[in-house]
Amino acid sequence: MEYTLENEYLKITVTQWGAQLKSVICKADGTQRMWQADPAVWGYHAPILFPHAGKTCDNVIEAKGSVFAAKQHGFAREMDHTFLDRTEDTLRFLLTDSEATLARWPYRFRLISAFRLEKDTVHHTLTVENTDEAALPYGIGYHPAFRIPFDAAHSYEDYVLRFSEMESPLCVSCLPHGLVTHRLYSLGSNLREIPVDQQLFANDSHCMLNLRSQTLGLYEKDTGRAVICDISQFPYTLLWSKPGKPHFVCIEPWMSLPSPEGGSREWNEKPAAFILQPGQSQSVTLSMRFI
């Protein structure tokens, strides 16, 4: 099922499948700002990355004495989330442990996904609760895809990615296997903007480390219309689109990283992950402004 919220600025739609932000309509101009998940290109809108972001070594997780197959970005994006409740400005969904999750990851948990509208901004808060008897290591991240162009009068070449501060973005390479390597590279020096073009995503995503900027936005150059993400909470921010002509751009704030190449398959030894003790919870929020 799908659920909607609206105010004088925006109308949003969230799906139970994956608790994804499927649609954001800007009422000022009637434009759709979210990628509409054409399966011929990429079949997601804004997947939640949990219980890990990216890949694990050998595509497995070893935990509690057993070995589990692990798909990229975890399982939260592929499951129905239970609708919890709604208020005038908020929708809440729940994913909890089940036979299906325990067959892939041997921990008991609650993942609450809350979408709140505030004027022209959508706040998406993810709260992880450890209901297991053991400590809970996990990773989490966001993967929203913003449609370009915003309307038929523009092309992808009319867009730039703009930082709120001057940046020399340092990136960690995850090529060729999607695992973190020791190799680092830069997207440029002392820049505020990165043009959107076919070359930018020719070699997959860019994982930027420890940016100074509070926000990173996708801007339409001639109008100033934009989607602006608050990345201030996040140590890692990724940029991604499918190779070739960009139909969308993903701005992906992550709290954790893929496993390192040649690293341990043991879940308790995975670096760049949270650890929640039994009974603890932790929340993180991605705020997206649509102007």
Side-chain angles (χ1 to χ4, degrees), residues 154-214:
H154 293 83
S155 73
Y156 70 87
E157 296 168 314
D158 295 319
Y159 295 84
V160 295
L161 290 151
R162 185 176 300 158
F163 301 99
S164 61
E165 304 289 338
M166 196 73 74
E167 297 282 1
S168 299
L170 185 66
C171 304
V172 59
S173 175
C174 294
L175 295 176
H177 305 301
L179 300 172
V180 172
T181 72
H182 65 277
R183 297 183 299 275
L184 299 174
Y185 65 94
S186 175
L187 286 180
S189 298
N190 300 321
L191 51 83
R192 287 288 296 273
E193 295 184 351
I194 299 175
V196 175
D197 57 32
Q198 294 193 39
Q199 184 60 35
L200 180 60
F201 303 112
N203 295 311
D204 205 49
S205 63
H206 302 284
C207 179
M208 300 179 290
L209 311 174
N210 297 320
L211 295 171
R212 297 186 303 155
S213 293
Q214 298 292 299

Tab-separated table of all heavy atoms in Angstrom, residues 154-214:
chain	number	residue	atom	x	y	z
A	154	HIS	N	14.019	21.054	-19.795
A	154	HIS	CA	15.415	20.961	-19.415
A	154	HIS	C	15.984	19.583	-19.758
A	154	HIS	O	15.242	18.637	-20.032
A	154	HIS	CB	15.584	21.225	-17.913
A	154	HIS	CG	15.259	22.625	-17.506
A	154	HIS	ND1	13.967	23.045	-17.250
A	154	HIS	CD2	16.066	23.706	-17.324
A	154	HIS	CE1	13.983	24.332	-16.921
A	154	HIS	NE2	15.231	24.751	-16.961
A	155	SER	N	17.327	19.487	-19.721
A	155	SER	CA	18.026	18.219	-19.884
A	155	SER	C	18.960	18.029	-18.700
A	155	SER	O	19.154	18.941	-17.882
A	155	SER	CB	18.819	18.207	-21.189
A	155	SER	OG	19.975	19.040	-21.073
A	156	TYR	N	19.555	16.850	-18.601
A	156	TYR	CA	20.435	16.575	-17.466
A	156	TYR	C	21.613	17.542	-17.410
A	156	TYR	O	22.171	17.805	-16.343
A	156	TYR	CB	20.933	15.133	-17.505
A	156	TYR	CG	21.916	14.833	-18.621
A	156	TYR	CD1	23.290	15.049	-18.447
A	156	TYR	CD2	21.492	14.316	-19.841
A	156	TYR	CE1	24.197	14.766	-19.451
A	156	TYR	CE2	22.391	14.038	-20.850
A	156	TYR	CZ	23.736	14.267	-20.659
A	156	TYR	OH	24.630	14.001	-21.662
A	157	GLU	N	22.001	18.104	-18.560
A	157	GLU	CA	23.128	19.030	-18.604
A	157	GLU	C	22.829	20.366	-17.934
A	157	GLU	O	23.741	21.182	-17.733
A	157	GLU	CB	23.554	19.252	-20.053
A	157	GLU	CG	24.070	17.974	-20.720
A	157	GLU	CD	24.214	18.127	-22.217
A	157	GLU	OE1	23.273	18.653	-22.839
A	157	GLU	OE2	25.264	17.731	-22.748
A	158	ASP	N	21.579	20.590	-17.565
A	158	ASP	CA	21.172	21.841	-16.918
A	158	ASP	C	21.301	21.775	-15.395
A	158	ASP	O	20.809	22.679	-14.703
A	158	ASP	CB	19.727	22.189	-17.288
A	158	ASP	CG	19.563	22.479	-18.763
A	158	ASP	OD1	20.447	23.155	-19.331
A	158	ASP	OD2	18.565	22.019	-19.361
A	159	TYR	N	21.983	20.749	-14.863
A	159	TYR	CA	22.018	20.553	-13.414
A	159	TYR	C	23.457	20.488	-12.904
A	159	TYR	O	24.364	20.011	-13.597
A	159	TYR	CB	21.258	19.275	-13.034
A	159	TYR	CG	19.795	19.406	-13.363
A	159	TYR	CD1	19.324	19.128	-14.646
A	159	TYR	CD2	18.891	19.869	-12.418
A	159	TYR	CE1	17.993	19.294	-14.967
A	159	TYR	CE2	17.546	20.045	-12.740
A	159	TYR	CZ	17.107	19.755	-14.009
A	159	TYR	OH	15.791	19.946	-14.332
A	160	VAL	N	23.624	20.978	-11.672
A	160	VAL	CA	24.905	20.877	-10.977
A	160	VAL	C	24.651	20.394	-9.559
A	160	VAL	O	23.569	20.596	-8.990
A	160	VAL	CB	25.663	22.228	-10.926
A	160	VAL	CG1	26.054	22.688	-12.314
A	160	VAL	CG2	24.851	23.292	-10.193
A	161	LEU	N	25.658	19.757	-8.989
A	161	LEU	CA	25.674	19.421	-7.568
A	161	LEU	C	26.447	20.530	-6.859
A	161	LEU	O	27.573	20.865	-7.256
A	161	LEU	CB	26.328	18.069	-7.349
A	161	LEU	CG	25.487	16.888	-7.851
A	161	LEU	CD1	26.374	15.733	-8.267
A	161	LEU	CD2	24.498	16.458	-6.780
A	162	ARG	N	25.846	21.120	-5.826
A	162	ARG	CA	26.438	22.303	-5.192
A	162	ARG	C	26.589	22.081	-3.691
A	162	ARG	O	25.623	21.742	-3.000
A	162	ARG	CB	25.568	23.523	-5.466
A	162	ARG	CG	26.138	24.846	-4.946
A	162	ARG	CD	25.246	26.001	-5.356
A	162	ARG	NE	25.145	26.076	-6.814
A	162	ARG	CZ	24.129	26.681	-7.458
A	162	ARG	NH1	23.146	27.223	-6.775
A	162	ARG	NH2	24.107	26.716	-8.782
A	163	PHE	N	27.816	22.286	-3.201
A	163	PHE	CA	28.115	22.213	-1.771
A	163	PHE	C	27.834	23.562	-1.117
A	163	PHE	O	27.938	24.608	-1.759
A	163	PHE	CB	29.584	21.851	-1.552
A	163	PHE	CG	30.014	20.542	-2.147
A	163	PHE	CD1	30.674	20.495	-3.363
A	163	PHE	CD2	29.772	19.354	-1.473
A	163	PHE	CE1	31.085	19.283	-3.908
A	163	PHE	CE2	30.182	18.134	-2.006
A	163	PHE	CZ	30.840	18.102	-3.227
A	164	SER	N	27.544	23.524	0.178
A	164	SER	CA	27.341	24.780	0.899
A	164	SER	C	28.658	25.449	1.263
A	164	SER	O	28.687	26.643	1.580
A	164	SER	CB	26.514	24.547	2.165
A	164	SER	OG	27.164	23.656	3.047
A	165	GLU	N	29.769	24.700	1.222
A	165	GLU	CA	31.096	25.240	1.508
A	165	GLU	C	32.051	24.860	0.380
A	165	GLU	O	31.772	23.947	-0.408
A	165	GLU	CB	31.643	24.679	2.833
A	165	GLU	CG	30.759	24.891	4.040
A	165	GLU	CD	30.700	26.331	4.480
A	165	GLU	OE1	31.628	27.099	4.146
A	165	GLU	OE2	29.712	26.706	5.149
A	166	MET	N	33.156	25.574	0.307
A	166	MET	CA	34.191	25.179	-0.646
A	166	MET	C	34.740	23.808	-0.239
A	166	MET	O	35.022	23.571	0.935
A	166	MET	CB	35.321	26.208	-0.643
A	166	MET	CG	36.236	26.112	-1.847
A	166	MET	SD	35.444	26.736	-3.352
A	166	MET	CE	35.500	28.506	-3.040
A	167	GLU	N	34.888	22.915	-1.210
A	167	GLU	CA	35.313	21.551	-0.921
A	167	GLU	C	36.403	21.098	-1.889
A	167	GLU	O	36.464	21.548	-3.036
A	167	GLU	CB	34.134	20.576	-1.034
A	167	GLU	CG	33.005	20.809	-0.057
A	167	GLU	CD	33.291	20.295	1.348
A	167	GLU	OE1	34.400	19.762	1.566
A	167	GLU	OE2	32.404	20.426	2.201
A	168	SER	N	37.231	20.189	-1.401
A	168	SER	CA	38.140	19.400	-2.238
A	168	SER	C	37.807	17.942	-1.936
A	168	SER	O	38.496	17.290	-1.138
A	168	SER	CB	39.606	19.713	-1.915
A	168	SER	OG	39.903	21.066	-2.147
A	169	PRO	N	36.733	17.420	-2.535
A	169	PRO	CA	36.164	16.147	-2.078
A	169	PRO	C	37.135	14.973	-2.219
A	169	PRO	O	37.561	14.620	-3.318
A	169	PRO	CB	34.944	15.961	-2.989
A	169	PRO	CG	34.639	17.327	-3.525
A	169	PRO	CD	35.956	18.008	-3.638
A	170	LEU	N	37.476	14.373	-1.076
A	170	LEU	CA	38.327	13.186	-1.041
A	170	LEU	C	37.429	11.964	-0.983
A	170	LEU	O	36.523	11.881	-0.150
A	170	LEU	CB	39.246	13.234	0.172
A	170	LEU	CG	40.285	12.113	0.289
A	170	LEU	CD1	41.296	12.216	-0.843
A	170	LEU	CD2	40.985	12.172	1.642
A	171	CYS	N	37.694	11.009	-1.864
A	171	CYS	CA	36.839	9.828	-1.993
A	171	CYS	C	37.649	8.560	-1.752
A	171	CYS	O	38.832	8.485	-2.099
A	171	CYS	CB	36.221	9.753	-3.389
A	171	CYS	SG	35.272	11.203	-3.879
A	172	VAL	N	36.979	7.562	-1.182
A	172	VAL	CA	37.585	6.248	-1.039
A	172	VAL	C	37.095	5.370	-2.182
A	172	VAL	O	35.904	5.358	-2.503
A	172	VAL	CB	37.247	5.614	0.329
A	172	VAL	CG1	35.747	5.465	0.531
A	172	VAL	CG2	37.941	4.260	0.488
A	173	SER	N	38.007	4.676	-2.804
A	173	SER	CA	37.647	3.817	-3.928
A	173	SER	C	37.105	2.482	-3.433
A	173	SER	O	37.671	1.866	-2.518
A	173	SER	CB	38.862	3.568	-4.820
A	173	SER	OG	38.541	2.632	-5.843
A	174	CYS	N	36.004	2.048	-4.056
A	174	CYS	CA	35.447	0.724	-3.781
A	174	CYS	C	35.501	-0.159	-5.023
A	174	CYS	O	34.779	-1.171	-5.109
A	174	CYS	CB	34.009	0.852	-3.272
A	174	CYS	SG	33.859	1.649	-1.658
A	175	LEU	N	36.310	0.234	-5.988
A	175	LEU	CA	36.461	-0.546	-7.210
A	175	LEU	C	37.560	-1.597	-7.016
A	175	LEU	O	38.517	-1.368	-6.274
A	175	LEU	CB	36.830	0.372	-8.374
A	175	LEU	CG	35.765	1.392	-8.787
A	175	LEU	CD1	36.304	2.293	-9.891
A	175	LEU	CD2	34.483	0.696	-9.248
A	176	PRO	N	37.434	-2.756	-7.664
A	176	PRO	CA	36.381	-3.115	-8.624
A	176	PRO	C	35.235	-3.944	-8.038
A	176	PRO	O	34.318	-4.308	-8.757
A	176	PRO	CB	37.156	-3.957	-9.644
A	176	PRO	CG	38.162	-4.689	-8.799
A	176	PRO	CD	38.552	-3.726	-7.700
A	177	HIS	N	35.281	-4.274	-6.745
A	177	HIS	CA	34.344	-5.257	-6.198
A	177	HIS	C	33.299	-4.664	-5.259
A	177	HIS	O	32.558	-5.417	-4.617
A	177	HIS	CB	35.125	-6.355	-5.459
A	177	HIS	CG	36.166	-7.029	-6.290
A	177	HIS	ND1	35.873	-7.690	-7.462
A	177	HIS	CD2	37.517	-7.124	-6.121
A	177	HIS	CE1	36.983	-8.180	-7.984
A	177	HIS	NE2	37.994	-7.845	-7.198
A	178	GLY	N	33.241	-3.337	-5.141
A	178	GLY	CA	32.272	-2.725	-4.241
A	178	GLY	C	32.675	-2.767	-2.784
A	178	GLY	O	31.861	-2.518	-1.897
A	179	LEU	N	33.945	-3.067	-2.507
A	179	LEU	CA	34.483	-3.130	-1.148
A	179	LEU	C	35.515	-2.023	-0.964
A	179	LEU	O	36.213	-1.633	-1.912
A	179	LEU	CB	35.117	-4.492	-0.881
A	179	LEU	CG	34.183	-5.700	-1.020
A	179	LEU	CD1	34.976	-6.996	-0.934
A	179	LEU	CD2	33.083	-5.671	0.029
A	180	VAL	N	35.628	-1.524	0.257
A	180	VAL	CA	36.527	-0.414	0.535
A	180	VAL	C	37.981	-0.840	0.334
A	180	VAL	O	38.407	-1.887	0.837
A	180	VAL	CB	36.315	0.094	1.971
A	180	VAL	CG1	37.388	1.114	2.349
A	180	VAL	CG2	34.929	0.709	2.117
A	181	THR	N	38.723	-0.040	-0.409
A	181	THR	CA	40.145	-0.301	-0.631
A	181	THR	C	40.971	0.791	0.061
A	181	THR	O	40.432	1.729	0.643
A	181	THR	CB	40.476	-0.308	-2.133
A	181	THR	OG1	40.404	1.037	-2.635
A	181	THR	CG2	39.504	-1.188	-2.910
A	182	HIS	N	42.282	0.669	-0.033
A	182	HIS	CA	43.179	1.674	0.535
A	182	HIS	C	43.369	2.855	-0.402
A	182	HIS	O	44.042	3.828	-0.055
A	182	HIS	CB	44.547	1.050	0.833
A	182	HIS	CG	45.277	0.600	-0.399
A	182	HIS	ND1	45.037	-0.614	-1.009
A	182	HIS	CD2	46.235	1.219	-1.150
A	182	HIS	CE1	45.813	-0.744	-2.076
A	182	HIS	NE2	46.538	0.355	-2.186
A	183	ARG	N	42.771	2.800	-1.601
A	183	ARG	CA	43.010	3.838	-2.602
A	183	ARG	C	42.065	5.023	-2.383
A	183	ARG	O	40.859	4.840	-2.215
A	183	ARG	CB	42.823	3.277	-4.004
A	183	ARG	CG	43.814	2.168	-4.353
A	183	ARG	CD	43.648	1.690	-5.782
A	183	ARG	NE	42.335	1.129	-6.035
A	183	ARG	CZ	42.000	-0.131	-5.783
A	183	ARG	NH1	42.889	-0.961	-5.232
A	183	ARG	NH2	40.783	-0.570	-6.057
A	184	LEU	N	42.618	6.231	-2.421
A	184	LEU	CA	41.851	7.457	-2.305
A	184	LEU	C	42.035	8.286	-3.576
A	184	LEU	O	43.065	8.187	-4.250
A	184	LEU	CB	42.307	8.284	-1.096
A	184	LEU	CG	42.172	7.620	0.279
A	184	LEU	CD1	42.813	8.507	1.336
A	184	LEU	CD2	40.719	7.348	0.619
A	185	TYR	N	41.050	9.096	-3.900
A	185	TYR	CA	41.165	10.001	-5.044
A	185	TYR	C	40.327	11.245	-4.770
A	185	TYR	O	39.500	11.269	-3.861
A	185	TYR	CB	40.718	9.321	-6.348
A	185	TYR	CG	39.258	8.944	-6.393
A	185	TYR	CD1	38.307	9.794	-6.961
A	185	TYR	CD2	38.802	7.736	-5.866
A	185	TYR	CE1	36.966	9.457	-7.007
A	185	TYR	CE2	37.468	7.387	-5.906
A	185	TYR	CZ	36.554	8.251	-6.478
A	185	TYR	OH	35.232	7.917	-6.517
A	186	SER	N	40.547	12.289	-5.544
A	186	SER	CA	39.860	13.559	-5.346
A	186	SER	C	38.949	13.858	-6.535
A	186	SER	O	39.280	13.535	-7.684
A	186	SER	CB	40.865	14.688	-5.183
A	186	SER	OG	40.203	15.943	-5.100
A	187	LEU	N	37.822	14.494	-6.254
A	187	LEU	CA	36.928	14.963	-7.317
A	187	LEU	C	37.260	16.382	-7.766
A	187	LEU	O	36.588	16.929	-8.634
A	187	LEU	CB	35.467	14.922	-6.844
A	187	LEU	CG	34.815	13.546	-6.749
A	187	LEU	CD1	33.377	13.663	-6.271
A	187	LEU	CD2	34.857	12.833	-8.098
A	188	GLY	N	38.287	16.982	-7.175
A	188	GLY	CA	38.682	18.334	-7.555
A	188	GLY	C	39.133	19.110	-6.335
A	188	GLY	O	39.018	18.659	-5.199
A	189	SER	N	39.655	20.310	-6.599
A	189	SER	CA	40.189	21.147	-5.531
A	189	SER	C	39.445	22.477	-5.469
A	189	SER	O	39.188	23.103	-6.510
A	189	SER	CB	41.683	21.410	-5.765
A	189	SER	OG	42.421	20.204	-5.750
A	190	ASN	N	39.105	22.882	-4.264
A	190	ASN	CA	38.517	24.196	-4.011
A	190	ASN	C	37.348	24.487	-4.944
A	190	ASN	O	37.334	25.468	-5.685
A	190	ASN	CB	39.591	25.285	-4.146
A	190	ASN	CG	40.719	25.092	-3.164
A	190	ASN	OD1	40.505	24.719	-2.013
A	190	ASN	ND2	41.945	25.316	-3.618
A	191	LEU	N	36.359	23.612	-4.881
A	191	LEU	CA	35.199	23.776	-5.752
A	191	LEU	C	33.923	23.865	-4.919
A	191	LEU	O	33.838	23.376	-3.796
A	191	LEU	CB	35.112	22.645	-6.771
A	191	LEU	CG	35.182	21.194	-6.286
A	191	LEU	CD1	33.829	20.701	-5.809
A	191	LEU	CD2	35.693	20.301	-7.395
A	192	ARG	N	32.924	24.494	-5.489
A	192	ARG	CA	31.592	24.560	-4.892
A	192	ARG	C	30.580	23.748	-5.697
A	192	ARG	O	29.518	23.393	-5.170
A	192	ARG	CB	31.107	26.016	-4.811
A	192	ARG	CG	31.798	26.857	-3.748
A	192	ARG	CD	31.380	26.497	-2.354
A	192	ARG	NE	29.970	26.743	-2.097
A	192	ARG	CZ	29.468	27.906	-1.689
A	192	ARG	NH1	30.262	28.943	-1.485
A	192	ARG	NH2	28.172	28.034	-1.472
A	193	GLU	N	30.896	23.484	-6.961
A	193	GLU	CA	29.943	22.808	-7.832
A	193	GLU	C	30.605	21.667	-8.596
A	193	GLU	O	31.794	21.725	-8.920
A	193	GLU	CB	29.333	23.791	-8.841
A	193	GLU	CG	28.480	24.869	-8.234
A	193	GLU	CD	27.844	25.743	-9.292
A	193	GLU	OE1	28.208	25.618	-10.489
A	193	GLU	OE2	26.959	26.560	-8.948
A	194	ILE	N	29.807	20.633	-8.862
A	194	ILE	CA	30.204	19.532	-9.734
A	194	ILE	C	29.145	19.420	-10.827
A	194	ILE	O	27.961	19.186	-10.527
A	194	ILE	CB	30.298	18.202	-8.967
A	194	ILE	CG1	31.341	18.286	-7.860
A	194	ILE	CG2	30.629	17.064	-9.929
A	194	ILE	CD1	31.391	17.046	-6.982
A	195	PRO	N	29.503	19.603	-12.096
A	195	PRO	CA	28.508	19.480	-13.171
A	195	PRO	C	27.999	18.046	-13.278
A	195	PRO	O	28.750	17.085	-13.075
A	195	PRO	CB	29.282	19.875	-14.434
A	195	PRO	CG	30.524	20.563	-13.944
A	195	PRO	CD	30.829	19.981	-12.606
A	196	VAL	N	26.732	17.913	-13.598
A	196	VAL	CA	26.157	16.598	-13.867
A	196	VAL	C	26.369	16.289	-15.340
A	196	VAL	O	25.853	16.988	-16.220
A	196	VAL	CB	24.658	16.559	-13.511
A	196	VAL	CG1	24.046	15.220	-13.922
A	196	VAL	CG2	24.457	16.805	-12.023
A	197	ASP	N	27.144	15.263	-15.612
A	197	ASP	CA	27.371	14.842	-16.987
A	197	ASP	C	27.576	13.330	-17.013
A	197	ASP	O	27.602	12.667	-15.974
A	197	ASP	CB	28.559	15.580	-17.619
A	197	ASP	CG	29.856	15.417	-16.832
A	197	ASP	OD1	30.058	14.345	-16.194
A	197	ASP	OD2	30.682	16.345	-16.830
A	198	GLN	N	27.731	12.788	-18.209
A	198	GLN	CA	27.852	11.338	-18.332
A	198	GLN	C	29.177	10.823	-17.777
A	198	GLN	O	29.258	9.679	-17.328
A	198	GLN	CB	27.693	10.923	-19.796
A	198	GLN	CG	26.299	11.191	-20.341
A	198	GLN	CD	26.038	10.502	-21.663
A	198	GLN	OE1	26.459	9.376	-21.866
A	198	GLN	NE2	25.323	11.177	-22.554
A	199	GLN	N	30.204	11.644	-17.781
A	199	GLN	CA	31.501	11.203	-17.294
A	199	GLN	C	31.496	11.018	-15.782
A	199	GLN	O	32.214	10.158	-15.255
A	199	GLN	CB	32.574	12.221	-17.694
A	199	GLN	CG	33.984	11.813	-17.313
A	199	GLN	CD	34.421	10.500	-17.953
A	199	GLN	OE1	34.048	10.194	-19.085
A	199	GLN	NE2	35.207	9.716	-17.217
A	200	LEU	N	30.684	11.804	-15.062
A	200	LEU	CA	30.716	11.784	-13.605
A	200	LEU	C	30.469	10.392	-13.048
A	200	LEU	O	31.085	9.995	-12.051
A	200	LEU	CB	29.682	12.776	-13.058
A	200	LEU	CG	29.571	12.890	-11.544
A	200	LEU	CD1	30.889	13.323	-10.926
A	200	LEU	CD2	28.452	13.869	-11.168
A	201	PHE	N	29.563	9.634	-13.675
A	201	PHE	CA	29.184	8.326	-13.133
A	201	PHE	C	29.656	7.161	-14.009
A	201	PHE	O	29.143	6.053	-13.893
A	201	PHE	CB	27.667	8.271	-12.968
A	201	PHE	CG	27.135	9.371	-12.087
A	201	PHE	CD1	26.345	10.382	-12.615
A	201	PHE	CD2	27.441	9.407	-10.740
A	201	PHE	CE1	25.859	11.400	-11.812
A	201	PHE	CE2	26.966	10.417	-9.924
A	201	PHE	CZ	26.171	11.427	-10.466
A	202	ALA	N	30.632	7.423	-14.846
A	202	ALA	CA	31.098	6.378	-15.770
A	202	ALA	C	31.699	5.190	-15.037
A	202	ALA	O	31.667	4.061	-15.533
A	202	ALA	CB	32.115	6.972	-16.747
A	203	ASN	N	32.271	5.443	-13.830
A	203	ASN	CA	32.917	4.370	-13.071
A	203	ASN	C	32.213	4.100	-11.756
A	203	ASN	O	32.850	3.804	-10.744
A	203	ASN	CB	34.383	4.718	-12.826
A	203	ASN	CG	35.189	4.777	-14.104
A	203	ASN	OD1	35.134	3.870	-14.924
A	203	ASN	ND2	35.909	5.873	-14.288
A	204	ASP	N	30.887	4.203	-11.749
A	204	ASP	CA	30.084	3.914	-10.567
A	204	ASP	C	30.052	5.115	-9.614
A	204	ASP	O	30.202	6.262	-10.033
A	204	ASP	CB	30.569	2.641	-9.869
A	204	ASP	CG	29.479	1.961	-9.055
A	204	ASP	OD1	28.374	1.770	-9.587
A	204	ASP	OD2	29.728	1.636	-7.895
A	205	SER	N	29.885	4.866	-8.323
A	205	SER	CA	29.621	5.925	-7.354
A	205	SER	C	30.909	6.574	-6.860
A	205	SER	O	32.021	6.078	-7.093
A	205	SER	CB	28.851	5.360	-6.161
A	205	SER	OG	29.631	4.390	-5.489
A	206	HIS	N	30.736	7.700	-6.134
A	206	HIS	CA	31.837	8.380	-5.462
A	206	HIS	C	31.488	8.473	-3.983
A	206	HIS	O	30.456	9.033	-3.616
A	206	HIS	CB	32.048	9.779	-6.036
A	206	HIS	CG	32.324	9.790	-7.505
A	206	HIS	ND1	33.552	9.432	-8.033
A	206	HIS	CD2	31.529	10.100	-8.567
A	206	HIS	CE1	33.508	9.530	-9.351
A	206	HIS	NE2	32.296	9.940	-9.701
A	207	CYS	N	32.348	7.942	-3.132
A	207	CYS	CA	32.134	7.956	-1.683
A	207	CYS	C	33.025	9.029	-1.070
A	207	CYS	O	34.234	8.833	-0.892
A	207	CYS	CB	32.446	6.586	-1.087
A	207	CYS	SG	32.249	6.528	0.709
A	208	MET	N	32.429	10.178	-0.741
A	208	MET	CA	33.172	11.323	-0.225
A	208	MET	C	33.248	11.254	1.299
A	208	MET	O	32.277	10.905	1.964
A	208	MET	CB	32.498	12.621	-0.669
A	208	MET	CG	32.427	12.767	-2.186
A	208	MET	SD	31.590	14.286	-2.740
A	208	MET	CE	29.883	13.915	-2.277
A	209	LEU	N	34.404	11.620	1.829
A	209	LEU	CA	34.682	11.481	3.259
A	209	LEU	C	34.739	12.841	3.942
A	209	LEU	O	35.380	13.771	3.436
A	209	LEU	CB	36.026	10.771	3.475
A	209	LEU	CG	36.283	9.474	2.706
A	209	LEU	CD1	37.703	9.005	2.948
A	209	LEU	CD2	35.289	8.407	3.117
A	210	ASN	N	34.059	12.951	5.090
A	210	ASN	CA	34.254	14.074	6.013
A	210	ASN	C	34.182	15.434	5.324
A	210	ASN	O	35.072	16.282	5.468
A	210	ASN	CB	35.592	13.926	6.745
A	210	ASN	CG	35.630	12.682	7.600
A	210	ASN	OD1	34.646	12.329	8.248
A	210	ASN	ND2	36.759	11.989	7.590
A	211	LEU	N	33.112	15.656	4.590
A	211	LEU	CA	32.903	16.957	3.972
A	211	LEU	C	32.657	18.022	5.039
A	211	LEU	O	32.102	17.751	6.104
A	211	LEU	CB	31.694	16.890	3.033
A	211	LEU	CG	31.835	15.969	1.817
A	211	LEU	CD1	30.490	15.844	1.103
A	211	LEU	CD2	32.894	16.470	0.857
A	212	ARG	N	33.044	19.250	4.744
A	212	ARG	CA	32.780	20.372	5.653
A	212	ARG	C	31.370	20.922	5.486
A	212	ARG	O	30.835	21.566	6.386
A	212	ARG	CB	33.790	21.491	5.403
A	212	ARG	CG	35.229	21.121	5.689
A	212	ARG	CD	36.124	22.342	5.544
A	212	ARG	NE	35.993	22.932	4.217
A	212	ARG	CZ	36.253	24.207	3.941
A	212	ARG	NH1	36.627	25.023	4.898
A	212	ARG	NH2	36.151	24.665	2.707
A	213	SER	N	30.784	20.718	4.318
A	213	SER	CA	29.499	21.323	3.984
A	213	SER	C	28.376	20.796	4.864
A	213	SER	O	28.335	19.608	5.202
A	213	SER	CB	29.158	21.059	2.518
A	213	SER	OG	30.057	21.731	1.657
A	214	GLN	N	27.460	21.683	5.192
A	214	GLN	CA	26.249	21.297	5.899
A	214	GLN	C	25.230	20.695	4.942
A	214	GLN	O	24.439	19.831	5.331
A	214	GLN	CB	25.629	22.514	6.599
A	214	GLN	CG	26.518	23.136	7.660
A	214	GLN	CD	26.693	22.232	8.857
A	214	GLN	OE1	25.724	21.886	9.536
A	214	GLN	NE2	27.932	21.841	9.114
